[in-house]
Amino acid sequence: MIMPSSGTAQASADFRARLPQDEVIYFLLPDRFENGDRSNDTGGIAGGKLQHGFDPTDEGFYHGGDLAGLTARLDYIQGLGATAVWLAPVFRNKPVQGEPGREFSGAHGYWITDFTTVDPHFGTDAEFKAFVDAAHARGMKVYMDIIANHTADVIRYRECPANDCAYRSRADYPYSRQGGIEGAAINAGFDGTNFERLTRPDYAYTPYVPEAEATVKVPAWLNDPIYYHNRGDTTFKGESSLDGDFAGLDDLYTENPRVVQGMIEIYGDWIDRYGIDGFRIDTARHVNSEFWQAFVPAMLERARAKGIPNFHIFGEVYDHDPGILARFTQVDRYPAVLDFAFQTTATDVANGVKGTDALARLYMADALYAGGEAGAMQLPTFLGNHDMGRIGGFIAKAHPDASADELLARTTLAHALMMFGRGVPTIYYGDEQGFAGIGGYGAARADMFPSQVADYATHPRIGGAGQPFATSAPMYRRLAEMARIRAASPALRRGRQIVRATSETPGLFAVSRVIDGEPGETLIIYNSATTPITVNIEVATASQDWSSLRGSCPATASAPGSIRVTVPALDYMICVSKDPA
């Protein structure tokens, strides 16, 4: 096990006390991060790529990254300033699925068959424990990526052998009839709540489990089709968004109390066994609210019983409307959701597509979240991910004729908006190396270690390409600087945010971060324009004397309540008032 490096003893002693908003999260896919043990590349499965899923030349298959490699690279992650590591799912997956000619592997981790153990492609349960222990020894938290919406695609429907079943609605195919409203009566008296009366799953399709996979799911109750909706593929609209199979993945009947209790047992056990620090929950919007209303409090209580008072739970609600995002904190009772609205807005501002007033409108919606503005402090903010693509790619695509310096400046600006604004900044692995990955999905999942995927070598790098895991990479150095500034300033982590100035066009954006009851304010000023700006900014009247955290801040205010600054093009500065508020 890697021991904590010098200077981390105090951090490791009190890391449990940190609030969620104190963290800088580093999100990674274990398969694409570092290969520390080549003996597990095929997961111990015989045969070829369509059996074990390993092909390091194909972006859709396993490439060999594992927990041993991740543990060995904790110095690199901590050196960046990250304090929490969020891993894509590490549970045992179906190695390969898909119809002939459309096969892909479960390298991403979202096709779970066994919810109780680590996928052998990534290592062993003991290696997962070693990783968590090594992170904790450094004062770093570990967030697991979990799924309750679906399992791997195992259940088949006799009516569609090509596995291309269209969604069948509850109105046209009610639970009370076999195969449609004209079918034979089944499930007598089932009203959607008395699940002891739901005894047959063939109301829409005739589901079955292939003999070879009859016991592949763990725990064993997951092998029974009665615990799934069995209505065919979702269209992502209406009721199908909740009850449909996600691209064929078996959609759990999360209204069923047995499923609710089963998922609580599964994930509570991971807390008990490993003392992890939080969950990112996949496909949160595709599960009924009542499930989350039971599951989330149960997980928080399980964590408290384990001595983890600040267990962070945040859901993936893939929507850019803050009103929709906030609903999941108000109704579903999520403590936080991934801030997709920030991702869109910050990208547009950094690209010069929108004026900075778009950020002000975004932050006005913070009042909608449970707990209001204080609740919004827990939202993980991010700029790209494994599904949509990378911030470097968004910027390179929007500015095809831009110089390398401009691309680096815009990417830096986007990260500064994330690192110093309210919320929990979340760095997507590889962004610190300048990965751009033009295009989404596979293109956004490049290997950190030397890759054999030919297409990855053609991807541009923001700041230029260097050696793998280079701590000298321009974005690595810049992000590490931001993280150091943020870690040293409680106001930048926990301070209430006050928007001070905006522009209807690319240009000025300024916010103050203040801790109520404490003196002073921390002022962050951004310039999204391609020319420098000199401007007066309103501040607290008591903020007379100033110092610089970054950039050239004036020593004194221009007048009570006003400070005059000059911000270079596509840059930012941070000024600190030393006066009592």
Side-chain angles (χ1 to χ4, degrees):
M1 183 178 74
I2 293 178
M3 296 304 294
S5 57
S6 175
T8 63
Q10 181 60 39
S12 63
D14 59 8
F15 75 96
R16 297 284 198 202
R18 296 198 307 259
L19 298 178
Q21 54 264 43
D22 288 333
E23 312 303 336
V24 173
I25 302 172
Y26 188 81
F27 170 44
L28 60 89
L29 280 64
D31 180 64
R32 303 302 166 93
F33 193 67
E34 177 65 302
N35 191 340
D37 181 2
R38 297 193 181 278
S39 71
N40 62 26
D41 286 354
T42 63
I45 301 170
K49 65 181 287 186
L50 295 184
Q51 286 73 50
H52 53 62
F54 177 69
D55 182 355
T57 69
D58 189 324
E59 69 176 23
F61 283 73
Y62 285 94
H63 290 179
D66 51 35
L67 291 165
L70 172 57
T71 305
R73 292 291 185 181
L74 281 173
D75 269 344
Y76 169 87
I77 298 173
Q78 192 168 40
L80 182 63
T83 61
V85 181
W86 155 22
L87 298 82
V90 297
F91 314 99
R92 185 187 292 267
N93 266 230
K94 189 170 184 176
V96 179
Q97 66 182 43
E99 299 308 298
R102 295 188 291 117
E103 301 94 345
F104 291 90
S105 83
H108 43 69
Y110 295 97
W111 298 344
I112 304 173
T113 53
D114 186 343
F115 287 76
T116 68
T117 192
V118 169
D119 191 290
H121 290 87
F122 300 147
T124 64
D125 289 2
E127 286 176 309
F128 182 71
K129 183 177 187 303
F131 161 69
V132 175
D133 288 348
H136 284 172
R138 294 166 171 269
M140 301 177 73
K141 295 183 180 181
V142 175
Y143 297 156
M144 294 186 73
D145 202 320
I146 68 170
I147 305 100
N149 174 65
H150 59 263
T151 72
D153 185 8
V154 173
I155 296 173
R156 311 288 287 199
Y157 304 131
R158 298 196 184 280
E159 291 81 358
C160 38
N163 204 31
D164 56 352
C165 310
Y167 184 79
R168 289 183 170 179
S169 72
R170 295 192 296 264
D172 293 330
Y173 295 85
Y175 293 105
S176 59
R177 294 290 185 270
Q178 180 186 13
I181 57 176
E182 301 298 329
I186 59 173
N187 300 320
F190 176 61
D191 63 7
T193 63
N194 51 348
F195 281 89
E196 71 279 0
R197 293 184 176 274
L198 183 69
T199 60
R200 291 182 56 170
D202 54 343
Y203 34 81
Y205 288 102
T206 308
Y208 71 98
V209 177
E211 184 176 353
E213 297 180 294
T215 60
V216 72
K217 294 182 185 179
V218 180
W221 62 267
L222 287 164
N223 293 297
D224 190 338
I226 201 69
Y227 296 120
Y228 299 84
H229 284 120
N230 303 309
R231 290 189 172 276
D233 282 351
T234 180
T235 64
F236 301 100
K237 298 177 181 177
E239 72 176 58
S240 84
S241 182
L242 292 176
D243 292 1
D245 295 340
F246 196 112
L249 298 166
D250 300 346
D251 194 73
L252 282 158
Y253 203 146
T254 46
E255 296 90 336
N256 190 315
R258 180 66 185 92
V259 176
V260 177
Q261 186 56 39
M263 286 291 140
I264 288 173
E265 292 168 355
I266 286 168
Y267 291 120
D269 187 58
W270 285 88
I271 297 173
D272 291 345
R273 280 192 287 164
Y274 300 105
I276 56 172
D277 305 284
F279 289 147
R280 178 268 192 184
I281 302 181
D282 182 65
T283 50
R285 73 181 309 164
H286 302 295
V287 176
N288 57 301
S289 299
E290 294 81 2
F291 177 90
W292 299 128
Q293 290 164 6
F295 181 85
V296 169
M299 293 300 97
L300 294 174
E301 178 55 36
R302 197 75 164 253
R304 283 191 291 268
K306 184 69 174 177
I308 310 170
N310 293 307
F311 195 82
H312 197 194
I313 295 178
F314 50 101
E316 180 215 22
V317 180
Y318 204 143
D319 200 293
H320 302 285
D321 181 345
I324 298 296
L325 298 177
R327 179 196 179 278
F328 285 82
T329 69
Q330 295 283 6
V331 177
D332 296 49
R333 300 179 188 169
Y334 268 88
V337 292
L338 284 161
D339 197 347
F340 279 86
F342 172 85
Q343 187 278 328
T344 303
T345 306
T347 299
D348 285 346
V349 169
N351 267 330
V353 174
K354 290 184 177 179
T356 64
D357 57 341
L359 285 164
R361 289 192 296 273
L362 169 75
Y363 292 132
M364 285 180 66
D366 284 356
L368 301 176
Y369 292 95
E373 293 180 0
M377 299 279 285
Q378 295 190 44
L379 304 180
T381 50
F382 68 101
L383 298 167
N385 63 25
H386 54 316
D387 291 327
M388 65 169 54
R390 296 181 177 275
I391 183 62
F394 303 146
I395 288 174
K397 183 177 180 180
H399 302 278
D401 300 322
S403 67
D405 287 346
E406 180 180 343
L407 296 178
L408 179 60
R410 288 189 184 277
T411 305
T412 302
L413 180 66
H415 280 93
L417 289 168
M418 176 181 75
M419 291 290 281
F420 302 120
R422 67 96 180 102
V424 190
T426 304
I427 301 168
Y428 183 40
Y429 88 97
D431 283 359
E432 78 280 4
Q433 292 295 325
F435 284 16
I438 302 297
Y441 204 78
R445 302 179 181 197
D447 303 313
M448 285 285 283
F449 52 91
S451 181
Q452 298 179 49
V453 177
D455 187 51
Y456 288 166
T458 69
H459 292 175
R461 290 280 191 98
I462 305 298
Q467 295 298 312
F469 299 98
T471 58
S472 60
M475 280 308 304
Y476 185 98
R477 295 198 312 270
R478 294 180 182 206
L479 282 167
E481 176 196 22
M482 293 180 202
R484 283 193 299 271
I485 293 171
R486 188 177 189 274
S489 172
L492 290 174
R493 291 179 278 113
R494 302 185 179 188
R496 180 168 57 88
Q497 183 168 280
I498 304 169
V499 174
R500 294 296 194 186
T502 67
S503 173
E504 294 180 356
T505 58
L508 176 68
F509 183 67
V511 296
S512 287
R513 305 292 302 273
V514 299
I515 296 179
D516 292 334
E518 296 187 11
E521 63 185 293
T522 299
L523 180 67
I524 311 103
I525 314 110
Y526 305 91
N527 180 9
S528 65
T530 55
T531 55
I533 54 174
T534 299
V535 64
N536 296 316
I537 297 173
E538 181 185 11
V539 292
T541 55
S543 295
Q544 290 291 308
D545 297 325
W546 292 83
S547 61
S548 299
L549 280 182
R550 186 183 189 275
S552 299
C553 301
T556 59
S558 305
S562 181
I563 184 174
R564 187 169 182 81
V565 296
T566 297
V567 192
L570 300 176
D571 205 353
Y572 70 98
M573 57 196 299
I574 304 176
C575 307
V576 179
S577 163
K578 298 181 289 184
D579 296 289

